[in-house]
Amino acid sequence: MNHDQKSGFGRREILKLAAVAGATFAGTGVFAGQSAAADDDSLSLKGKRIAISATGTDHYFDLQAYNAQIAEVKRLGGEPIAVDAGRNDGKLVAQLQTLIAQKPDAIVQILGTLSVIDPWLKKARDAGIPVLTVDVGSTNSINNTTSDNWGIGKDLALQLVSDIGGEGNIVVFNGFYGVTPCAIRYDQLVNVVKYFPKVKIIQPELRDVIPNTVQDAFTQITAILNKYPEKGSIKAIWSAWDIPQLGATQALAAAGRTEIRTYGVDGSPEVLQLVADPNSPAGADAAQQPAEIGRTAIRNVAKLLAGQTLPRETYVPALLANKTNVAEVTKKLGIG
């Protein structure tokens, strides 16, 4: 039995899986927005007050989704009531309480730790206010508009495993398992890695934080590199979003450890630029379409208020950008 057979998957099979993963992302097509925009000409929010509750807007994804929602409510003739909790859970709860008291025609919640927001989403539902969500898998939400986080998690993990040849130590940031998309992506990483027995997640896992995410990730990765000074002792660094990836990539470059690759999710322009740099440790980034996710959520509100039945989940395609295809992906996203 050769080396590859012992690992469960041969290198050729790993590369095939990663190629299929990338093709799956690309095959979803850019973009749902084009077809969605074509069929929403009859939609209207005229005379409707739509509450938009953001957990925070300091991250590229959040801000893009938030601004697009406000613009889409106005475009459809409605009045947005947009509020931003600034990443403060106490403020977020107070924000939801205030919105429930104002009795808008619908509430759209963008992200948030489920244990924090779910009791208030239930209160809104009990008060007869339709609740929709962006990237929150709550049973109190009529519809959740999101990327396919199962697909993102699986495909990013396959890209990572392919790039490291199916073996080696990886560092994982896992500080936000209470946030549903992060949990799904992490679980998919674990599901993939368990079939590659020579891939090991270094314990304890790291905890990414908000705020000062980049600086904190830089500090934590610098400490890990000091603990594992030999080249090859770490193969990759994974995070459920790409701001920790940004800090980790900067730490690797500063330490001269560019043989280690970093992986993340979101498609922030600065991270995609690093993926495009052949000398950067940034290996891949699963790029979401936050503005289209925001617009789609508002169109779903209009459909609901018009009496249409919504699916439980609405998925907006994502694109996996790696060293090979990042120019194509950024062009499709309109940021290249």
Side-chain angles (χ1 to χ4, degrees):
M1 183 177 289
N2 64 31
H3 171 83
D4 285 344
Q5 288 171 323
K6 288 178 181 177
S7 69
F9 280 77
R11 183 177 180 83
R12 181 177 300 175
E13 283 68 31
I14 298 171
L15 293 172
K16 285 180 179 177
L17 286 170
V20 170
T24 300
F25 263 60
T28 55
V30 181
F31 290 156
Q34 295 171 351
S35 59
D39 67 11
D40 75 349
D41 288 346
S42 63
L43 295 177
S44 174
L45 288 173
K46 188 175 181 179
K48 305 295 185 183
R49 297 162 59 245
I50 308 303
I52 300 167
S53 171
T55 303
T57 57
D58 54 323
H59 180 226
Y60 175 79
F61 178 97
D62 311 332
L63 184 60
Q64 290 286 308
Y66 182 73
N67 286 339
Q69 286 187 310
I70 294 171
E72 190 70 357
V73 170
K74 292 178 178 177
R75 188 184 76 83
L76 295 178
E79 176 190 349
I81 309 171
V83 284
D84 172 9
R87 300 284 179 195
N88 182 309
D89 283 346
K91 185 177 179 180
L92 178 57
V93 168
Q95 177 172 291
L96 287 168
Q97 288 176 309
T98 300
L99 291 175
I100 293 168
Q102 292 178 337
K103 299 186 182 303
D105 292 287
I107 293 176
V108 182
Q109 173 63 41
I110 307 173
L111 281 166
T113 299
L114 192 59
S115 59
V116 173
I117 62 173
D118 215 30
W120 300 101
L121 299 185
K122 183 177 185 305
K123 288 182 182 294
R125 189 190 68 176
D126 292 346
I129 303 170
V131 173
L132 287 81
T133 49
V134 167
D135 253 3
V136 181
S138 166
T139 56
N140 293 301
S141 170
I142 295 171
N143 169 270
N144 181 43
T145 302
T146 182
S147 299
D148 175 0
N149 288 297
W150 289 270
I152 283 176
K154 179 258 294 178
D155 290 349
L156 187 68
L158 287 173
Q159 181 74 59
L160 184 157
V161 170
S162 170
D163 289 349
I164 67 174
E167 61 179 302
N169 292 326
I170 63 175
V171 175
V172 170
F173 283 95
N174 186 23
F176 296 100
Y177 195 81
V179 177
T180 305
C182 296
I184 294 171
R185 296 166 195 167
Y186 172 83
D187 288 344
Q188 291 294 74
L189 171 71
V190 173
N191 286 338
V192 168
V193 165
K194 73 181 180 183
Y195 292 102
F196 298 89
K198 291 189 176 181
V199 177
K200 304 292 184 185
I201 296 176
I202 292 176
Q203 300 295 331
E205 296 169 339
L206 304 183
R207 298 286 181 266
D208 39 336
V209 301
I210 295 176
N212 301 319
T213 308
V214 174
Q215 297 90 328
D216 179 79
F218 186 101
T219 300
Q220 292 198 64
I221 292 303
T222 299
I224 283 284
L225 296 178
N226 289 333
K227 189 175 180 180
Y228 294 84
E230 294 182 8
K231 290 196 173 184
S233 55
I234 297 174
K235 292 290 190 67
I237 299 170
W238 179 97
S239 55
W241 53 312
D242 62 11
I243 300 305
Q245 181 186 10
L246 182 59
T249 302
Q250 292 174 353
L252 294 175
R257 295 291 297 275
T258 54
E259 84 281 5
I260 302 170
R261 287 286 180 263
T262 65
Y263 299 82
V265 179
D266 274 332
S268 303
E270 59 267 42
V271 175
L272 291 177
Q273 288 177 3
L274 290 173
V275 174
D277 181 351
N279 298 316
S280 168
D285 190 28
Q288 302 188 83
Q289 298 187 71
E292 184 54 33
I293 288 173
R295 286 190 289 269
T296 300
I298 296 303
R299 288 195 288 267
N300 281 341
V301 171
K303 291 176 181 177
L304 178 72
L305 297 180
Q308 296 186 33
T309 300
L310 299 178
R312 179 68 184 81
E313 299 264 335
T314 300
Y315 296 119
V316 174
L319 299 169
L320 181 60
N322 56 33
K323 291 290 189 188
T324 301
N325 71 354
V326 62
E328 177 187 1
V329 169
T330 53
K331 183 178 179 181
K332 288 179 176 177
L333 292 170
I335 58 177

